[in-house]
Amino acid sequence: MSVSTAEFVVNKVENSRINEVDLANVQFGKNYSDHMLVAYYEDGAWKQPEIMPYNNLSLSPATTFMHYGQAIFEGIKAYKDPNGNPLIFRPYDNWKRMNRSAHRMAMPDVPMEIFVEGIKTLVQLDRDWIPTGEDTSLYIRPFMFAVDEFIGVRPAEKFMFIIITSPAGPYYNKPVSIFVQDQYVRAFPGGIGYTKAAGNYGMSMYPTMKIKEKGYDQILWTDGFEHKYVQEIGTMNVFFVIGDKVITPDINQDTILAGVTRDSVITLLQEKGVVVEERNISINEIQDAHHAGMLKEAFGTGTAASIAPIYALTYHDDKMELPPLEKWDVANWLKKELSDIRYGRKEDTHNWIVRP
Ligand SMILES: *Cc1c(COP(=O)(O)O)cnc(C)c1O
């Protein structure tokens, strides 16, 4: 069946695959919903996007992104409110960030009408794929990559933008153990650390594999010059509660991804009257605070994981264990507050919720 709406051509599946998925026990990133959006950019313009059944792509082996990595992505979640109606969390912020990444990677801007309206249309179409359990959601993955068939190195001229969606359970289901990395580097001023470019993740696989072999879950990266100031974790921004202050690395050096969850957390804390400091924070300051008994909480924030408590932070031979989770006022409050807003259980006073 082919229906042309204002912006999209919609080809619906003949038969939904939804019965193949156990939505009550869904994991993260294993299943993909019935439909996807595909848009081509060519001759300086986006063509009419098409929503079609989720399917494999067919690409030339000379497709440029496979060789030179002009590829970027985003991550957003949709939830169901208590009445079963879908809501999407802050998609306009992801749209803006997608275009900051696109700009740095010499890729075209994705118009709001394709990015946000595309997400809304897909969520509406595949709304039955949104699980309803606590900590579950429909994870939305927009991405763009260069598709010139040309193996010379030059900025590409043709691009593909795709959105797929995936019913998702919790990303981490227990507190994480973090290794403070001061040998390998994630980002440098002038580099691409502030973008969601594929290369930022490709380069992290080897160091991550190495620390996983030693039993850690994730890396906390330090700065590229002195290997001293903490930056962020894999796919999460990082917060420390020291005494009664909350401290998070500032994002002004273009080395850290400006998380939408990070921004939401800072906003909620400040509204509650908590002091949040966005500044450089060295690993030595964290060690000193821990040894003085002042390091109360440490957690990562991201769309995939929401709030991920850290139970241990290891720097060289200093394994800093955090107090038991029951005593954490800040992270536990934030997790509940954020969930209540995302699942539509609490009034959205910030215009964060978008309904498809
Ligand atoms: C996606 C991501 C985050 C978290 O961003 P959100 O918008 O909160 O999901 C943080 N750091 C990195 C490196 C990321 O890729």
Side-chain angles (χ1 to χ4, degrees):
M1 183 179 24
S2 185
V3 201
S4 194
T5 66
E7 287 100 4
F8 309 119
V9 174
V10 181
N11 275 307
K12 289 193 195 170
V13 292
E14 306 261 312
N15 298 300
S16 173
R17 288 178 288 102
I18 194 154
N19 293 327
E20 297 167 16
V21 184
D22 177 9
L23 284 184
N25 296 296
V26 70
Q27 288 174 290
F28 187 89
K30 295 250 160 110
N31 305 99
Y32 299 94
S33 328
D34 283 328
H35 299 92
M36 64 181 186
L37 177 145
V38 178
Y40 281 95
Y41 181 92
E42 208 177 341
D43 302 324
W46 288 98
K47 311 289 164 215
Q48 191 186 45
E50 197 174 335
I51 288 178
M52 60 178 77
Y54 178 91
N55 208 339
N56 292 343
L57 305 173
S58 174
L59 294 168
S60 152
T63 304
T64 42
F65 85 92
M66 296 183 196
H67 303 267
Y68 309 123
Q70 256 183 305
I72 60 176
F73 68 97
E74 271 301 330
I76 302 160
K77 277 179 173 175
Y79 306 83
K80 267 187 179 165
D81 73 13
N83 299 321
N85 296 315
L87 22 92
I88 307 162
F89 192 69
R90 303 189 67 172
Y92 291 95
D93 296 272
N94 295 85
W95 167 64
K96 287 180 201 149
R97 188 171 68 194
M98 179 92 184
N99 286 338
R100 289 201 295 276
S101 298
H103 184 81
R104 177 62 179 81
M105 297 299 288
M107 301 168 87
D109 274 13
V110 181
M112 192 175 75
E113 294 71 26
I114 298 180
F115 191 97
V116 180
E117 295 308 315
I119 289 172
K120 285 162 80 172
T121 310
L122 276 179
V123 167
Q124 194 55 268
L125 200 56
D126 284 337
R127 55 187 288 154
D128 292 346
W129 289 79
I130 309 174
T132 51
E134 191 64 29
D135 282 340
T136 67
S137 59
L138 186 72
Y139 184 79
I140 301 160
R141 168 51 60 87
F143 57 110
M144 174 168 41
F145 49 96
V147 295
D148 290 18
E149 287 181 35
F150 180 68
I151 54 168
V153 181
R154 59 147 203 237
E157 290 165 359
K158 292 183 196 169
F159 298 88
M160 250 174 119
F161 171 72
I162 299 181
I163 308 172
I164 55 175
T165 68
S166 168
Y171 196 73
Y172 299 113
N173 39 28
K174 55 178 183 53
V176 289
S177 172
I178 298 292
F179 179 87
V180 182
Q181 180 60 263
D182 66 352
Q183 180 190 1
Y184 299 104
V185 173
R186 176 185 181 276
F188 240 83
I192 60 168
Y194 69 100
T195 70
K196 256 177 142 68
N200 280 333
Y201 306 86
M203 75 84 218
S204 74
M205 299 302 173
Y206 179 76
T208 302
M209 182 179 76
K210 286 289 162 202
I211 61 107
K212 285 197 182 220
E213 284 167 10
K214 293 185 189 153
Y216 303 103
D217 297 306
Q218 282 290 333
I219 288 172
L220 173 57
W221 298 97
T222 53
D223 75 282
F225 286 119
E226 298 176 75
H227 308 307
K228 184 172 145 188
Y229 296 100
V230 302
Q231 304 227 298
E232 61 182 319
I233 300 170
T235 59
M236 296 189 288
N237 295 109
V238 69
F239 287 78
F240 302 92
V241 181
I242 297 181
D244 54 9
K245 284 182 189 160
V246 178
I247 304 166
T248 189
D250 85 77
I251 55 173
N252 293 324
Q253 288 164 348
D254 287 354
T255 54
I256 297 177
L257 205 277
V260 176
T261 319
R262 176 187 184 276
D263 184 74
S264 310
V265 158
I266 293 173
T267 303
L268 293 175
L269 288 175
Q270 286 176 339
E271 280 174 7
K272 201 172 183 253
V274 177
V275 177
V276 183
E277 296 180 355
E278 295 179 67
R279 59 169 172 85
N280 282 345
I281 176 164
S282 71
I283 187 62
N284 308 106
E285 180 180 345
I286 295 165
Q287 283 180 298
D288 290 347
H290 180 253
H291 298 140
M294 298 289 277
L295 181 62
K296 310 274 187 215
E297 307 178 29
F299 53 89
T301 66
T303 297
S306 183
I307 309 284
I310 295 169
Y311 75 86
L313 200 58
T314 304
Y315 177 60
H316 295 173
D317 50 13
D318 189 6
K319 181 165 183 181
M320 294 171 259
E321 300 216 7
L322 279 288
L325 203 55
E326 310 85 72
K327 299 200 177 146
W328 292 28
D329 298 332
V330 178
N332 290 333
W333 177 80
L334 275 171
K335 185 163 196 302
K336 180 165 186 313
E337 192 73 9
L338 259 185
S339 293
D340 284 348
I341 298 171
R342 285 170 163 155
Y343 290 98
R345 296 188 293 247
K346 188 162 184 174
E347 195 196 343
D348 167 34
T349 56
H350 308 92
N351 280 322
W352 286 343
I353 297 297
V354 172
R355 290 181 183 269

